[in-house]
Amino acid sequence: MTKVSVEGLDLFFKAKSVAIYGASITPNSVGQAIIQNFIKPQYEGKVYAVNPKYKQVLGVKCYPSMQEVPEPVDMVVVAVPARITPRVFEDIATNGAKAAIVVSGGFSEVGPRGAELENEVVDIAMKHKIRIIGPNCVGVIDTHSHVDTFFLPEYRCGRPKPSNIANISLVSQSGAFAAAVADWTSELGLGISKIVSLGNKCDVDDDDLLQYLGDDPTTQVICYYTEGYDRLKGRTFFETAQKVAQNKPILVVKSGRGKRARAAASSHTGSLAGSDCVADAAYKQSGIIRADNFEQMFDMAKALSMQPPAKGDRVLMVTNGGGLGVMTADALEELNLAVTPPSPELEAMYQERLPKFCAVHNPIDVVGDSNATRYDIVFKEAIKSDEYDIFVVGMLLQTPSLGMDVTNVIANHQRQSGKPFVVVSMGGGFTTKAGEIMQLMGVPTYATGEKAALAAWALAKYGETKYGQEFNKTIRSDES
Amino acid sequence: MTKVSVEGLDLFFKAKSVAIYGASITPNSVGQAIIQNFIKPQYEGKVYAVNPKYKQVLGVKCYPSMQEVPEPVDMVVVAVPARITPRVFEDIATNGAKAAIVVSGGFSEVGPRGAELENEVVDIAMKHKIRIIGPNCVGVIDTHSHVDTFFLPEYRCGRPKPSNIANISLVSQSGAFAAAVADWTSELGLGISKIVSLGNKCDVDDDDLLQYLGDDPTTQVICYYTEGYDRLKGRTFFETAQKVAQNKPILVVKSGRGKRARAAASSHTGSLAGSDCVADAAYKQSGIIRADNFEQMFDMAKALSMQPPAKGDRVLMVTNGGGLGVMTADALEELNLAVTPPSPELEAMYQERLPKFCAVHNPIDVVGDSNATRYDIVFKEAIKSDEYDIFVVGMLLQTPSLGMDVTNVIANHQRQSGKPFVVVSMGGGFTTKAGEIMQLMGVPTYATGEKAALAAWALAKYGETKYGQEFNKTIRSDES
């Protein structure tokens, strides 16, 4: 089908009036859960209920059809049985609405009869220039406009919040994952702008969203969960990605690597998983960063949303725990980052200014009784020398000698130098709180050296795309 | 040195009387932090302070030397400057104490002069049959006896607790990691029995602890963090491991894989990191399971402590979220577990008993509106058929149709079948609480499919050691 302009997508995310087609008075029904989201005080637009069965749903006047709705609405959420959807779309057309999210299942994902129904709906929608998200999806959460079609109650499925620093948006083929991620990120302290569940992608697809999110001022990092690409659409997507990735990092989790998993993916969303290697090559070429799983994707997205990309791959690790330094250095090296030793001049400077029991190679071990001052010295001299592009900071807070002022030292050097910093801090209650404070100051903080190393890698990897050069050709002075 | 019997190690973990050598009235000092741990009400043994400077420390009578202490104590904690340690050990000998933890640094880890001091101390200790943990360590936490020499205040460094189900013990070369793990596991809901920081290992070493923990009734899983092995001691350790692994799973994180990391490890604990490949081969041969990092180690240890080892590698994945099924199947296949489809008979049974929109291959997708009954059907038939050795259960709780009774269904089938179950449940507040409940019922629960898959792998891997056969030679009916 010919694409209608991407601007049309604003209707989904910034809808100032919505109609819930299939709004219901039945507790725990999909049609009730959705209208419940829109009558919350934070949604400031108008809400119309549509259902011939009722006069009123949860205090909202209910219309027998869209034709009766007194104004053209920005968006319709369709929660009716699949078989009546074509009729419902004819009705929507009479209203003049140009955007519809079909949450109902029973379409191409269930077989040929469902696929026929889906085609019928698409034909009607095209004729009337109505854009569709879905079917077979949970739709959209926009944390700024409070458009929220996720038909899952908040006590079960928490909703994420936007942040003042930078925000991540996620596009997911799977609705259950979209919901699980919404819930999961609601407690992670990450800024989220939009979560979109695409379902069967009968109209709006990955590429549309990529163009839209690429231009969206409230999205700084774009994340995807996909189980596979359509051959033709895949090509367009990767072409768009190549452009968008110049401005914003794009991350993807693609499942269906294994044989059983591919079979399951095909029955799950009806998508052709295709060759995983082909997708992998396309990711590399278009500057998309592939993550193995959601945890890795959001660990990387956190760093990319909070820190500038790195201008090179030389990492300085500083730590007050020797073991943590060793393990993190291991992880950094495995990711091909350059854990280069300081120059003789810088090393001499450290020997002069740090206590003599500190290890002044890289990782720099300011040892267990360190206070914030030793960290300050390490950053100040390293930044002055310009020998490093990324700082990975081990901050073990089990020892009371390291005061909370270390968070200020880290945040200040980050801000003044403009270089990316990543913190690793492993522990329990006190450490978790301190990490939250560190992140409120803008520096991403991780519980393990491996996560911090991966975050550093993502900052370097995106730096390569952003600055158009391959860092790992850097000559490393200690390479044998 | 000739080994004194391992039984002597009981003195460290079950000490009924301790002397704190270097007990101090200075707030935040090591000598104060340690005595503070032992005067807590939960420690039921006798405490003696030793320091010629004071008459009393925190209300405890303080003796000028060990000679004055009125009885031989089970254990001495030594927190005095390195240079006076030999003299201190001569004094300890007069008391008749046979176990000492030297937390002080300034020994072999700082160079030849320190190594000399360390040798002096070892000579004196050997002569008087005093066993030593350390020096340069934080010592021991025993969650049952409340022996606790970790000189880190509880508000910074939480202390783990034992569990009624099964307990994990950790032996760490790094003191900072031992503390960070104590703190971290204090909030993980894991049962911990002992954490031991070995430091320079001048006497008690990995092998001693392995023998001891192998026989310890309160330790069900043994974990190690090491940066390398001494050539001779390494061989003994692996010989012991081969025996112990028949009864208890042994897990290890070994850092120092990379070049820079190895250099740092050498300066950190003075150990020869040696070839990583040699260690890796030794792990495989002796039945030790190697983890890449602490997170993986404790994810696996959790499963191994709560569930029986698997008797084969055939995994059935059941999920109410298709995407989660795909991703977890991916991870299981990458770990070479057999995600085998059900037999035609079992499949027919599922087709008969489950709604027709459920996917009845493996992963089995009981779909988003599933209740606990569908899970019950899947488990009951699969267990009856005996076609699977491990169950991985996707439990997405964002949808209210899945009630908390699913936790009972899972726990009951696990208990009745005796087969290992692992749950994956991704989300926020409600999900986290439900996972805690699931674990209190004895079934390990993870936030991602990858973690659950790794847990399943560990249960199969340890099953191979326990039952003496290689599972991955299993013929898989769908192998191409």
Side-chain angles (χ1 to χ4, degrees):
Chain A
M1 69 184 285
T2 322
K3 287 278 178 67
V4 189
S5 75
V6 173
E7 287 89 69
L9 298 188
D10 258 349
L11 292 172
F12 291 103
F13 299 104
K14 296 181 182 160
K16 291 201 173 63
S17 53
V18 294
I20 316 302
Y21 215 120
S24 168
I25 61 162
T26 311
N28 296 322
S29 68
V30 170
Q32 170 151 108
I34 294 171
I35 195 159
Q36 240 159 0
N37 290 343
F38 284 98
I39 59 175
K40 285 176 190 161
Q42 64 260 36
Y43 178 68
E44 293 175 350
K46 279 192 201 161
V47 189
Y48 298 96
V50 180
N51 195 331
K53 284 199 253 175
Y54 313 115
K55 294 266 173 255
Q56 196 172 299
V57 175
L58 299 182
V60 176
K61 185 176 173 185
C62 190
Y63 298 87
S65 72
M66 286 298 292
Q67 215 170 356
E68 270 82 354
V69 172
E71 59 166 347
V73 298
D74 282 351
M75 178 183 53
V76 186
V77 187
V78 180
V80 302
R83 68 191 149 69
I84 68 162
T85 326
R87 223 184 322 142
V88 160
F89 266 79
E90 295 287 9
D91 182 33
I92 291 172
T94 66
N95 169 270
K98 296 297 176 210
I101 296 177
V102 184
V103 300
S104 328
F107 294 91
S108 60
E109 83 281 7
V110 299
R113 176 70 197 109
E116 248 173 70
L117 264 176
E118 196 170 302
N119 286 336
E120 251 183 272
V121 169
V122 169
D123 287 344
I124 300 163
M126 269 194 67
K127 202 171 84 187
H128 299 287
K129 299 197 163 55
I130 305 167
R131 300 230 54 183
I132 303 178
I133 287 180
N136 185 29
C137 72
V138 296
V140 165
I141 286 179
D142 185 305
T143 62
H144 294 92
S145 70
H146 301 287
V147 164
D148 179 356
T149 68
F150 280 35
F151 45 87
L152 302 153
E154 234 176 308
Y155 84 94
R156 285 291 193 109
C157 177
R159 301 303 203 264
K161 290 183 187 63
S163 122
N164 291 327
I165 298 174
N167 289 298
I168 301 162
S169 288
L170 169 75
V171 180
S172 170
Q173 191 165 351
S174 154
F177 260 145
V181 167
D183 186 20
W184 180 53
T185 54
S186 71
E187 302 216 327
L188 280 189
L190 284 178
I192 301 285
S193 177
K194 295 170 177 65
I195 298 185
V196 188
S197 148
L198 282 182
N200 296 2
K201 308 180 193 174
C202 81
D203 170 21
V204 174
D205 62 13
D206 299 279
D207 182 53
D208 294 318
L209 261 309
L210 189 53
Q211 288 185 50
Y212 182 77
L213 295 173
D215 289 335
D216 176 29
T218 66
T219 297
Q220 279 71 47
V221 178
I222 305 169
C223 291
Y224 273 88
Y225 169 72
T226 184
E227 294 176 357
Y229 300 94
D230 179 287
R231 195 179 296 265
L232 262 171
K233 285 188 173 179
R235 177 171 296 190
T236 323
F237 176 76
F238 290 116
E239 280 168 11
T240 306
Q242 203 152 19
K243 286 176 216 137
V244 172
Q246 299 304 312
N247 297 315
K248 292 181 188 181
I250 308 168
L251 298 162
V252 66
V253 166
K254 179 187 171 297
S255 62
R257 276 184 291 244
K259 194 180 165 186
R260 302 287 318 154
R262 262 205 303 283
S266 157
S267 92
H268 175 223
T269 42
S271 69
L272 288 163
S275 158
D276 192 71
C277 303
V278 174
D280 212 50
Y283 292 140
K284 288 206 178 85
Q285 219 179 344
S286 53
I288 293 175
I289 298 172
R290 182 173 187 174
D292 285 343
N293 53 59
F294 278 99
E295 212 180 359
Q296 286 190 3
M297 181 158 74
F298 280 92
D299 280 342
M300 292 195 271
K302 182 164 83 174
L304 289 163
S305 71
M306 297 171 91
Q307 292 288 291
K311 293 190 170 152
D313 64 353
R314 301 165 304 170
V315 182
L316 183 69
M317 166 88 198
V318 48
T319 179
N320 63 337
L324 182 61
V326 176
M327 285 207 64
T328 311
D330 253 348
L332 289 165
E333 287 186 299
E334 270 171 22
L335 292 165
N336 277 323
L337 289 165
V339 188
T340 47
S343 67
E345 298 74 38
L346 183 55
E347 187 176 321
M349 185 62 84
Y350 284 147
Q351 263 158 350
E352 193 191 310
R353 300 202 52 199
L354 290 171
K356 69 173 192 303
F357 43 79
C358 295
V360 296
H361 294 281
N362 186 5
I364 293 183
D365 185 358
V366 291
V367 316
D369 68 344
S370 181
N371 53 18
T373 309
R374 290 188 205 154
Y375 283 87
D376 189 44
I377 292 166
V378 172
F379 298 139
K380 191 177 281 173
E381 298 302 336
I383 290 165
K384 211 191 289 171
S385 77
D386 204 26
E387 291 175 24
Y388 294 99
D389 307 298
I390 310 174
F391 291 84
V392 177
V393 187
M395 175 176 88
L396 289 179
L397 292 167
Q398 281 76 34
T399 158
S401 56
L402 191 60
M404 284 301 291
D405 52 334
V406 71
T407 56
N408 303 317
V409 167
I410 293 167
N412 288 340
H413 279 292
Q414 194 285 312
R415 227 169 290 141
Q416 284 160 22
S417 67
K419 289 180 189 256
F421 277 59
V422 164
V423 169
V424 47
S425 192
M426 182 184 186
F430 188 95
T431 291
T432 306
K433 293 283 171 223
E436 285 166 11
I437 284 170
M438 193 75 255
Q439 294 194 161
L440 288 172
M441 291 177 169
V443 182
T445 303
Y446 300 89
T448 68
E450 294 71 33
K451 282 168 179 276
L454 185 68
W457 177 84
L459 291 165
K461 192 76 198 156
Y462 185 59
E464 287 188 334
T465 303
K466 186 85 179 174
Y467 302 113
Q469 55 175 121
E470 280 185 39
F471 295 156
N472 52 21
K473 288 184 178 158
T474 305
I475 294 146
R476 296 178 205 172
S477 56
D478 66 331
E479 207 72 82
S480 55
Chain B
M1 68 187 286
T2 321
K3 287 274 178 71
V4 189
S5 75
V6 172
E7 287 88 69
L9 297 188
D10 257 350
L11 291 173
F12 291 103
F13 300 104
K14 297 181 181 159
K16 291 200 171 66
S17 54
V18 294
I20 316 302
Y21 214 118
S24 168
I25 61 163
T26 311
N28 296 321
S29 68
V30 170
Q32 171 151 106
I34 294 171
I35 195 161
Q36 241 158 358
N37 291 343
F38 284 98
I39 59 175
K40 286 176 188 162
Q42 64 261 39
Y43 178 69
E44 293 176 348
K46 278 193 201 161
V47 189
Y48 298 96
V50 179
N51 194 331
K53 283 199 255 177
Y54 313 116
K55 294 265 174 257
Q56 195 173 299
V57 175
L58 300 181
V60 176
K61 184 176 176 187
C62 190
Y63 297 86
S65 72
M66 286 298 293
Q67 216 172 354
E68 268 83 356
V69 171
E71 58 165 348
V73 298
D74 281 350
M75 177 181 56
V76 187
V77 187
V78 180
V80 302
R83 69 189 149 68
I84 67 161
T85 326
R87 222 186 320 142
V88 161
F89 266 80
E90 294 287 10
D91 182 32
I92 291 171
T94 65
N95 169 270
K98 297 296 174 209
I101 296 177
V102 183
V103 300
S104 328
F107 293 91
S108 60
E109 83 281 7
V110 298
R113 177 71 197 108
E116 247 173 70
L117 266 175
E118 197 170 302
N119 286 337
E120 251 182 274
V121 169
V122 169
D123 287 344
I124 299 163
M126 270 193 67
K127 203 171 82 191
H128 300 285
K129 299 195 161 57
I130 304 168
R131 299 229 54 183
I132 303 177
I133 287 180
N136 184 31
C137 72
V138 296
V140 165
I141 287 179
D142 185 304
T143 62
H144 294 92
S145 70
H146 300 287
V147 164
D148 178 355
T149 67
F150 280 34
F151 46 87
L152 302 153
E154 234 176 308
Y155 84 96
R156 285 293 193 106
C157 178
R159 301 303 203 265
K161 289 182 187 62
S163 123
N164 290 329
I165 300 176
N167 290 298
I168 300 163
S169 289
L170 169 75
V171 179
S172 170
Q173 190 165 356
S174 153
F177 261 144
V181 167
D183 186 21
W184 181 52
T185 54
S186 71
E187 303 217 327
L188 279 190
L190 283 178
I192 301 285
S193 176
K194 295 170 176 64
I195 298 184
V196 189
S197 148
L198 282 183
N200 296 3
K201 308 180 192 174
C202 81
D203 169 22
V204 174
D205 61 14
D206 298 278
D207 181 54
D208 295 317
L209 261 309
L210 189 53
Q211 289 186 49
Y212 182 78
L213 295 173
D215 289 333
D216 176 28
T218 66
T219 297
Q220 280 72 44
V221 179
I222 305 170
C223 291
Y224 272 87
Y225 170 71
T226 183
E227 294 176 357
Y229 299 94
D230 180 287
R231 194 179 297 263
L232 262 171
K233 286 188 173 180
R235 175 171 297 189
T236 322
F237 176 75
F238 290 116
E239 281 167 10
T240 307
Q242 204 153 15
K243 285 175 218 138
V244 173
Q246 300 304 313
N247 297 315
K248 293 181 188 181
I250 308 167
L251 298 161
V252 66
V253 167
K254 179 186 172 297
S255 63
R257 277 185 290 246
K259 194 180 165 182
R260 303 286 318 153
R262 262 204 304 284
S266 155
S267 92
H268 174 222
T269 40
S271 69
L272 286 166
S275 159
D276 191 70
C277 304
V278 174
D280 213 48
Y283 292 140
K284 288 205 179 85
Q285 220 180 341
S286 53
I288 293 175
I289 299 173
R290 183 173 186 174
D292 284 344
N293 54 59
F294 278 99
E295 214 180 356
Q296 287 190 4
M297 181 158 74
F298 281 93
D299 281 342
M300 292 195 271
K302 182 164 82 175
L304 289 164
S305 70
M306 297 171 89
Q307 292 288 292
K311 293 191 170 152
D313 65 352
R314 300 165 305 168
V315 182
L316 183 70
M317 166 87 199
V318 47
T319 178
N320 62 337
L324 182 62
V326 176
M327 285 207 61
T328 310
D330 254 347
L332 289 165
E333 288 186 298
E334 271 170 22
L335 292 166
N336 278 322
L337 289 165
V339 189
T340 47
S343 67
E345 296 74 38
L346 184 56
E347 188 176 321
M349 184 62 82
Y350 285 147
Q351 263 157 350
E352 192 191 312
R353 300 203 52 198
L354 291 170
K356 68 174 193 303
F357 43 79
C358 293
V360 296
H361 294 280
N362 186 5
I364 292 184
D365 184 358
V366 291
V367 315
D369 67 345
S370 181
N371 53 19
T373 309
R374 291 189 203 154
Y375 284 87
D376 189 44
I377 292 166
V378 172
F379 298 140
K380 190 177 283 173
E381 299 301 336
I383 289 164
K384 211 190 290 168
S385 77
D386 204 27
E387 292 175 23
Y388 295 99
D389 307 298
I390 309 173
F391 291 84
V392 177
V393 187
M395 176 176 87
L396 290 178
L397 293 167
Q398 281 76 37
T399 160
S401 56
L402 191 60
M404 284 301 290
D405 52 335
V406 71
T407 55
N408 303 318
V409 167
I410 294 167
N412 288 341
H413 280 292
Q414 194 285 311
R415 229 169 290 141
Q416 283 159 22
S417 68
K419 290 181 187 254
F421 277 60
V422 165
V423 169
V424 47
S425 192
M426 182 185 184
F430 188 94
T431 292
T432 305
K433 293 283 171 225
E436 286 166 11
I437 284 170
M438 193 75 255
Q439 294 193 159
L440 288 172
M441 291 178 170
V443 181
T445 304
Y446 300 88
T448 68
E450 295 70 34
K451 283 169 179 278
L454 185 68
W457 177 84
L459 291 165
K461 192 74 198 158
Y462 185 59
E464 287 188 334
T465 302
K466 186 86 182 172
Y467 302 112
Q469 54 175 123
E470 280 187 39
F471 295 153
N472 52 20
K473 287 183 180 162
T474 304
I475 293 145
R476 296 177 205 173
S477 55
D478 68 331
E479 205 73 82
S480 55

